[in-house]
Amino acid sequence: MNNSILVIAGIAVVLGLIVGVFIVGLIYVQRRRQAVDSLIRIDNVVGCFGVVEVPLNHNSPGKVRVNLKGSLVDFVAFSDEVHQFNQGDSVVVVRIDGNKVWVVSV
């Protein structure tokens, strides 16, 4: 009776180790396939929604905050629209040049 319990416990430990190594291997293979890229590119900014932090209009620049890949990024913002953008207004980025963006209202 004691021998059968030891045999079953040994088999359970070995199977647990085998399954654990298999799961770790699957996770390793899956992680290698994922591309981690935290760089912000121009094509990631255009079309994004943002919030006005510093008011702006067609005569004076302001500042907008955009959520890119989980990070909040501030840009100097310009607009060709005639009306005033106030703090908290939602905007869409339509063009970017360096760290300057052109926005329109939502």
Side-chain angles (χ1 to χ4, degrees), residues 34-48:
Q34 293 177 344
V36 177
D37 184 10
S38 62
L39 294 176
I40 297 171
R41 294 183 176 82
I42 290 175
D43 56 339
N44 296 124
V45 179
V46 174
C48 287

Side-chain angles (χ1 to χ4, degrees), residues 46-68:
V46 174
C48 287
F49 292 93
V51 176
V52 175
E53 294 296 318
V54 175
L56 66 126
N57 60 32
H58 70 284
N59 290 327
S60 64
K63 182 173 89 171
V64 296
R65 181 167 288 160
V66 180
N67 187 347
L68 296 171

Side-chain angles (χ1 to χ4, degrees), residues 45 51-57 59-66 73-79 91-103:
V45 179
V51 176
V52 175
E53 294 296 318
V54 175
L56 66 126
N57 60 32
N59 290 327
S60 64
K63 182 173 89 171
V64 296
R65 181 167 288 160
V66 180
V73 182
D74 292 339
F75 293 100
V76 175
F78 297 88
S79 180
V91 294
V92 176
V93 177
V94 292
R95 191 172 85 210
I96 184 168
D97 181 23
N99 66 338
K100 301 173 185 174
V101 295
W102 277 258
V103 296

